[in-house]
Every structure is written in C-alpha cells, then in structure tokens.
Amino acid sequence: QQQVKQSPQSLIVQKGGISIINCAYENTAFDYFPWYQQFPGKGPALLIAIRPDVSEKKEGRFTISFNKSAKQFSLHIMDSQPGDSATYFCAASITGRRALTFGSGTRLQVQP
Amino acid sequence: NAGVTQTPKFRILKIGQSMTLQCAQDMNHNYMYWYRQDPGMGLKLIYYSVGAGITDKGEVPNGYNVSRSTTEDFPLRLELAAPSQTSVYFCASSSQGATPRYEQYFGPGTRLTVT
C-alpha cells in the first residue's frame, strides 16, 4: 500500500520555467512533509520541508504548497536551472517516529 | 566531519551468499536508518534504530538483520541473498535534537546485485 503518491514520474522543463511536482498522502497522522533532492550516484539530500500548520513555505526558488483538506502538497521550482536536473522525492513522517515514507520520485530535466 | 559513510560502494553476490553492509556516522546522531531504493521507486525503510541497543522493523525487513552496538555504527546483514534483494541501499541518520527540519543525512549508497 503506497501511502504517498507522487506525480509526474518525469518532467522536462525549459530553463527559466516553473517545475511543479505533486504528492498526495493517505495517512492523516503524517505531520511533517519534506522534499529530498537526489543527484545521480548520490544519496538524497533535504531540500525543503513543511508542517501542516502552514499552507506555504518558500526558500529561495523552491516553494512547498500544502493543502491539508485535500491531503496534497506540491513542490514548485521557480526559474528552473539546468543544475536543478535531479530526482525529487516527496516524503512524509509522523513526529516522534522520524522514519520517512517516500513517494516514488520525479526525474526532472531542465533543458538549457 | 565525514557525515554518513557506507562500504562497500558496489558488490555482486551469488544467490544464497551472505554479507554485511557497513554504515557509520560521525555526527553523534541517535537515529539511524536503512532504506533500499529499487529502480524507478522511492526509498523503502528496512530497519531503523533510535539509539544503541534499540532497533525496529520498517516496511520491508524480511531477509535482513541489523544491530546497533554503538552510536556511530549501524550494519545491515543480508542472509541467504536472493535476486529480489538487488537494489541500492542507503543508510541515513538524524539528530534527536529539536531541529524543526528533522533532517535525515544520507550516505552515498551501496549498489548490490544478486545473481
């Protein structure tokens, strides 16, 4: 049973465009929603995270939008750059448990 | 700090062989985790530990064992390797502290092939 569903599986965006990746979760006990970025041959690294008490969080060109009632959250990458080309994973966890449940990943390619 | 280190980077096993994947962290983190990543899939939790001497099963623990005798080390043991265990294995750690990000720090991974 997949508790965090992620889409699309792959995404091609032109340089300067907006990349949007969506995730939906089922477990209403989740209360922490991070996004991880993974480059080929590397382990994932935390990009940005949000808690359900806010609807949006922005860090530089990266923004998480969160819709608690719909149980959905999304990552927006503004002014996408070729260096952003990577695989992005959404995840969710329950405070106190710490272990993450990951989405299936989105492979982003930003074309110059 | 070296962060989270994993050895080996690559390994090929024959069906039925056993091996131990090593993981160490030098950040004095209490929490440590093992994940596997299959092609085109997200990471799935195998086992985790909240401190030395304490371990618990994750989503996909069958065919694996762990131990945590020190804060720094969290080895993953594969017994009787099967082709279904072909995957990339990631070790991660996180702090018990009150950082709001609860960031997990990942190692570079071990690519395992069972033939």
Side-chain angles (χ1 to χ4, degrees), chain A residues 33-44:
Chain A
F33 302 90
W35 285 88
Y36 278 76
Q37 180 187 55
Q38 184 181 30
F39 293 104
K42 304 291 186 182

Side-chain angles (χ1 to χ4, degrees), chain B residues 11-19 36 38 62-64 77-87 89 112-115:
Chain B
R11 183 72 186 268
I12 298 174
L13 279 182
K14 294 189 184 303
I15 294 172
Q17 287 185 323
S18 300
M19 76 164 293
R36 59 176 287 172
D38 298 327
N62 291 344
Y64 307 94
R77 178 81 176 164
L78 276 72
E79 305 281 3
L80 298 175
S84 61
Q85 292 178 305
T86 294
S87 189
Y89 291 83
L112 175 68
T113 302
V114 182
T115 62

